[in-house]
Amino acid sequence: MAISLQKGQKVDLTKGNRGLSKIVVGLGWDTNQYSGGDEFDLDASAFLLTETGKVRAEKDFVFYNQPKHESGSVFSTGDNRTGEGEGDDEQIKVDLSKVPADIAKVAFTVTIHDADARKQNFGQVSNAYIRVVDETSNVELLRYDLGEDYSIETAVVIAEIYRAGGEWKFNAIGSGFKGGLAALATNYGLQV
C-alpha cells in the first residue's frame, strides 16, 4: 500500500525499496466549474537542480518543449492539453541511476498555460496530486494530495526528490507561485 503524505513531509524513496531505479511520477488534477470559456491546460515540468537549488543551464529543465534531459534520466511522456479522463493527467519518468552526479534534486512542478490571459489560477483546480510508481513492478509507492489552499497562484512546486546519504528521498512541498512558468524558471536560475 502506498504511503500517503501531507505537505512538508519527507520520506525515504530508495532505502526501503532496494533496487528501485526507474520511477514514474504521475500528476493529476481536475478543474472546478469554470465559466471563462477557455480549456484548462496544466503542464507538468521537472527542474534538475544542483546543491545551490538552481539549474546548471536550460538543458536541466524538462517540459513540453524539451521533453527529455540529455542524460536520459528524466523525460516527460507528453502534454495532456485538457486533463480529461481518469488517472494521471501527465507523467514524468525518472531513471535514478542516470541522474548526473552533480544533480542534488529534481523538482516537479505544475503550471497553468496562459493563466493570466485566460484568467485562470489554482483556486479553480481541485483533486491535484502527485504519486510515485515503481516502473518495473507498477506498484504505487507514495502519494501526496494537494489541499485546496490556493487562490491566485498559477504555478505550484508540488514535490521534489533529493539525494541524502547515498539514497533518494521524497519531499511533499505544495508551494504556490504567482507568475506561472516564468516565475518558476526564474526561481530555479533560468533567464526568461
Side-chain angles (χ1 to χ4, degrees):
M1 179 155 157
I3 298 170
S4 182
L5 300 172
Q6 301 296 317
K7 183 175 182 171
Q9 278 188 295
K10 297 176 183 178
V11 66
D12 286 316
L13 188 58
T14 55
K15 192 173 186 177
N17 296 296
R18 287 284 164 225
L20 180 67
S21 175
K22 295 182 178 183
I23 60 172
V24 177
V25 178
L27 300 115
W29 53 79
D30 294 318
T31 53
N32 300 333
Q33 291 294 68
Y34 166 72
S35 59
D38 291 306
E39 292 286 330
F40 262 75
D41 180 9
L42 276 67
D43 297 309
S45 304
F47 292 86
L48 286 77
L49 309 170
T50 64
E51 284 289 339
T52 66
K54 306 290 184 196
V55 296
R56 298 171 298 184
E58 257 184 60
K59 65 183 179 185
D60 292 337
F61 173 36
V62 176
F63 68 117
Y64 54 86
N65 280 339
Q66 184 169 276
K68 186 174 184 179
H69 189 263
E70 67 182 7
S71 67
S73 63
V74 178
F75 72 94
S76 169
T77 61
D79 182 14
N80 178 340
R81 293 179 182 250
T82 65
E84 293 295 318
E86 294 297 313
D88 300 337
D89 291 311
E90 293 192 10
Q91 293 182 331
I92 297 174
K93 293 188 176 189
V94 181
D95 186 337
L96 300 171
S97 69
K98 292 184 179 179
V99 176
D102 58 338
I103 296 299
K105 63 178 79 169
V106 180
F108 300 98
T109 67
V110 175
T111 56
I112 302 173
H113 184 70
D114 283 341
D116 290 339
R118 296 177 180 184
K119 296 180 177 38
Q120 297 172 343
N121 60 59
F122 274 93
Q124 298 159 314
V125 174
S126 59
N127 304 321
Y129 69 84
I130 185 170
R131 68 190 192 112
V132 176
V133 175
D134 179 338
E135 185 175 7
T136 305
S137 67
N138 202 33
V139 171
E140 183 176 303
L141 303 173
L142 58 91
R143 181 183 183 100
Y144 166 44
D145 293 300
L146 276 71
E148 308 289 320
D149 52 351
Y150 302 100
S151 56
I152 61 170
E153 294 83 357
T154 55
V156 177
V157 178
I158 297 184
E160 64 187 17
I161 58 172
Y162 64 98
R163 296 181 198 262
E167 300 287 349
W168 284 95
K169 294 188 174 194
F170 181 91
N171 183 10
I173 297 176
S175 177
F177 282 75
K178 191 167 185 335
L181 189 56
L184 279 178
T186 300
N187 180 64
Y188 289 128
L190 292 172
Q191 293 186 350
V192 181

